[in-house]
Amino acid sequence: MKIDVLGCGSAFSLNHTTSAIRIIDNQQSQWLIDCGPTVPRALWQRNLDINTIDVIFFTHIHPDHCAGLAVLLNQWKSFGRVKPLQIYCQAEQQAMLVNQIALANWPHTELTFPIEILASQPAWQWRGWQIHTAFAQHEIPSQAIRIEADNHVLFYSGDGRPTDATQALMAGCTLAFQECASWPPLAADASHGDYPACLALCEKLALNLMVLYHSQDAFRPAISSDCATHPHVMLSEDGLTFDLEALSPTLAVL
Ligand SMILES: [Zn+2]
């Protein structure tokens, strides 16, 4: 399994793409997790075939995680995508995506490819993948996801502070992405992760590697410099790639 960090930015980052990753398994199946407003351009910069992405999974429908969908679908339609697309999202949040699908081709109603919108469940299988989701602590329900595929385990937190349920999904993973908006500690009932709590969680779970993302621009220098003293924690960057077989991050574009 390979991971391509399309973006690691916070909602209003001036210099980072909004947070999203691409997952490529050994059979070249590809998922996109989240699609904020600047994610389509990051995808286009990779020169992918328009039929490459099989599935888009949305952690939640805050604009910085989903507002790029209409633009991406419009580009796929404009260049004649034919491959069916599956979209996984919490059932209660799907209406916002339906609006974007309509916008992607308005005033016409037909795209050049079918879209199936599915409700993300606590657990399901997709091809050979075992998938689990759990809710983080966020202003609106936001799902963390655990994907077991190719003998590795990937965890991606979505927005929000870790909960007992998301920590259970994170345990034993090969690679964990954890939202870490803040350098200073936040209140226990806050809606975002903070660096001291992320660091403590990484140590508690003895993780191989926790990659922090969605950090506010102003906090990135402090987080980055402290991560340098902790071998199992690092600050994400746009364009990082991870090969879970080797777990060596590089800046090469896949
Ligand atoms: Zn959010």
Side-chain angles (χ1 to χ4, degrees):
M1 195 177 359
K2 293 187 172 64
I3 312 302
D4 173 18
V5 177
L6 293 158
C8 67
S10 59
F12 315 122
S13 176
L14 296 181
N15 44 36
H16 284 79
T17 298
T18 39
S19 289
I21 61 169
R22 191 164 58 102
I23 304 166
I24 305 108
D25 76 6
N26 290 347
Q27 287 71 45
Q28 300 302 310
S29 296
Q30 294 209 16
W31 277 38
L32 172 63
I33 298 193
D34 287 339
C35 187
T38 57
V39 170
R41 185 175 65 178
L43 279 170
W44 301 336
Q45 288 169 342
R46 282 154 172 76
N47 271 324
L48 305 174
D49 184 274
I50 47 171
N51 296 295
T52 298
I53 305 270
D54 295 286
V55 172
I56 307 177
F57 172 86
F58 289 96
T59 59
H60 65 305
I61 53 78
H62 271 151
D64 58 317
H65 294 262
C66 74
L69 179 65
V71 176
L72 183 59
L73 297 180
N74 182 254
Q75 191 248 6
W76 285 348
K77 182 216 74 166
S78 298
F79 288 89
R81 176 181 170 118
V82 293
K83 188 192 240 183
L85 175 70
Q86 291 182 314
I87 294 176
Y88 284 97
C89 177
Q90 302 167 53
E92 300 76 12
Q93 299 185 358
Q94 290 175 358
M96 293 297 107
L97 301 180
V98 171
N99 287 341
Q100 288 206 58
I101 293 168
L103 174 62
N105 198 28
W106 189 87
H108 307 290
T109 54
E110 292 296 319
L111 293 166
T112 55
F113 54 98
I115 299 178
E116 182 181 20
I117 306 181
L118 299 157
S120 42
Q121 307 288 339
W124 74 96
Q125 287 190 22
W126 184 86
R127 297 185 183 167
W129 300 15
Q130 306 290 327
I131 299 162
H132 291 83
T133 62
F135 289 101
Q137 178 178 304
H138 196 49
E139 317 172 49
I140 64 170
S142 178
Q143 285 180 319
I145 185 166
R146 173 189 173 102
I147 296 173
E148 300 169 39
D150 298 340
N151 299 314
H152 288 287
V153 182
L154 170 72
F155 172 90
Y156 192 83
S157 69
D159 274 8
R161 289 181 84 73
T163 58
D164 289 347
T166 67
Q167 290 181 42
L169 294 195
M170 190 187 284
C173 67
T174 315
L175 175 64
F177 285 85
Q178 174 60 51
E179 186 260 283
C180 179
S182 175
W183 161 250
L186 300 173
D189 62 353
S191 193
H192 286 284
D194 66 63
Y195 183 74
C198 290
L199 189 58
L201 180 56
C202 182
E203 289 173 353
K204 176 178 134 184
L205 296 178
L207 296 176
N208 282 326
L209 184 58
M210 176 187 274
V211 180
L212 306 177
Y213 75 98
H214 207 286
S215 303
Q216 293 182 25
D217 290 349
F219 295 138
R220 286 185 55 92
I223 293 172
S224 178
S225 77
D226 202 77
C227 281
T229 67
H230 297 281
H232 301 290
V233 183
M234 66 176 288
L235 181 61
S236 196
E237 277 291 347
D238 294 3
L240 275 181
T241 61
F242 295 87
D243 182 344
L244 268 58
E245 295 295 330
L247 241 195
S248 53
T250 66
L251 269 167
V253 170
L254 292 181

